[in-house]
């Protein structure tokens, strides 16, 4: 396959990132590939057209798509974008393999070779390509800054002429990549931080950041280093202990997720009712249903007892410059597995290429997705 790599303007409202930065365009050119961009593709991420050297700009997305051997995306391609690609073209990006069945069928039927970066194995070799981690880091960071902004309190302890200010008590729920970055950020702001997770190995990680591990007596280590869903009894136990603990917390940042499922509901309305006036909850899982029962995606809910429940969306996009830089590097590292002599040559013997593939040559290649959509046939 020849080697034209493209990016277009991301159209999803609130999305500011771009999948191809000037730094990566330069690297692709150095590897002998052609780069074609829709005009303005990087503008919302603060990469004006003039920052891209030695690339070709075209006036419309359609013109870029028609040229693409590889399309690099942040958000999944929309119907007309899929239709605008040539048969056999490659798409790499967040493709939401656990949902969006209609789009996956369109990718299959249009014979697009698609790679869903969510499916990338989380192995040591794949770390430099791990978009979930790079974007979660920004999301965790921004969530804490939002909490600090909404809170009516200082985060750090202060000794002033007007008296001593006690540090804010911050609880981070879920200590994956986003949660650990949230803990580190809340610590840097001087607050008293606790973290909890259902995976027991997170205790050491939380403590290594100088925070306290909140032990609720529930452990739910699952397959592949991820959490499994809790049983009803485990959830009840977790919630009883948590409700008591939250009465004394100023700020909660929730980051809990179980891959492919709606976000676990951890903070109930009754728990929020028991919290102090002025407390703040920032729910990083707002886009996937929220970890708090009161979360509304894209809104801040002020409860009758004075608790603010913030449901931010597009958190990674809020740090669009660095999140785009990291994302584009991740995609470049992944694509580099398949660049040979200035052309794209997909290496199906590489497990990272094979396992990240969602659709290829008219078939859904990811087994669980294929079963869900086609009922195991084919
Ligand atoms: P995630 O976004 O899927 O989930 C976030 C966190 O929520 C997880 O830590 C999970 O245990 C926790 N959680 C789920 N249900 C919960 C509940 N009911 N209560 C409290 N917490 C709950 O996770 P992630 O950030 O993508 O990371 C998942 C794992 O993958 C971690 O172990 C991480 O270290 C690992 N990882 C490995 C690599 C690598 O080796 N290359 C790279 C990145 C992440």
């Amino acid at each position: 396959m020849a080697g034209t790599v493209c990016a277009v303007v991301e159209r999803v409202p609130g999305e500011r990132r771009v999948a191809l930065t000037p730094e990566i365009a330069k690297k692709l050119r150095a590897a002998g590939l052609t780069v074609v961009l829709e005009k303005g593709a990087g503008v919302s991420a603060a990469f004006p057209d003039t920052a891209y050297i030695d690339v070709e700009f075209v006036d419309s997305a359609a013109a870029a798509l028609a040229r693409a051997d590889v399309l690099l995306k942040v958000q999944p391609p929309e119907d007309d974008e899929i239709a605008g690609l040539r048969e056999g073209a490659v798409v790499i990006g967040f493709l939401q393999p656990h949902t969006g069945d209609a789009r996956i069928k369109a990718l299959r039927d249009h014979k697009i070779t698609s790679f869903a970066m969510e499916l990338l194995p989380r192995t040591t070799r794949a770390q430099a390509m791990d978009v979930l981690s790079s974007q979660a880091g920004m999301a965790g960071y921004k969530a804490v800054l939002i909490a600090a902004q909404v809170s009516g309190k200082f985060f750090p302890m202060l000794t002033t002429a007007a008296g001593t200010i006690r540090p804010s008590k911050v609880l981070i729920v879920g200590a994956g990549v986003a949660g650990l970055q949230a803990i580190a950020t809340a610590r840097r702001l001087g607050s008293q931080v606790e973290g909890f997770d259902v995976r027991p190995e997170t205790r050491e990680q939380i403590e290594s950041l100088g925070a306290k591990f909140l032990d609720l007596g529930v452990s739910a280590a699952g397959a592949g280093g991820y959490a499994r869903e809790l049983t009803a009894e485990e959830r009840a136990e977790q919630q009883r202990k948590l409700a008591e603990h939250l009465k004394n917390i100023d700020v909660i940042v929730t980051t809990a997720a179980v891959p492919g499922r709606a976000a676990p509901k951890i903070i109930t309305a009754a728990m929020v009712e028991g919290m102090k006036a002025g407390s703040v909850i920032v729910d990083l899982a707002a886009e996937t249903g929220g970890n708090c029962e009161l979360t509304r995606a894209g809104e801040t809910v002020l409860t009758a007892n004075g608790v603010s429940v913030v449901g931010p969306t597009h958190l990674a996009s809020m740090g669009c410059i660095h999140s785009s830089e990291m994302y584009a590097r991740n995609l470049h590292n992944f694509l580099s597995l398949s660049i040979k002599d200035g052309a794209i040559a997909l290496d199906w013997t590489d497990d990272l290429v094979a396992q990240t593939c969602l659709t290829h040559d008219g078939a859904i290649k990811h087994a669980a997705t294929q079963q869900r959509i086609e009922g195991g046939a084919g």
Side-chain angles (χ1 to χ4, degrees), residues 122-123 127 130 133 175-177 197-199 225 227 238 255-257 266:
R122 303 218 57 194
T123 57
Q127 269 178 4
D130 189 345
S133 290
V177 181
D197 197 296
V198 287
R199 289 181 299 116
Q238 187 191 55
T255 74
I266 298 169

Side-chain angles (χ1 to χ4, degrees), residues 14 53 71 89 95 121 157 188 195 211 229 297 328 352 368:
I53 311 296
L71 173 66
L95 300 184
M157 188 184 109
R188 286 185 206 111
E229 237 179 348
L352 298 182

Side-chain angles (χ1 to χ4, degrees), residues 68 105 129 151 286 298 311:
K105 285 180 192 164
M129 312 163 199
S151 172

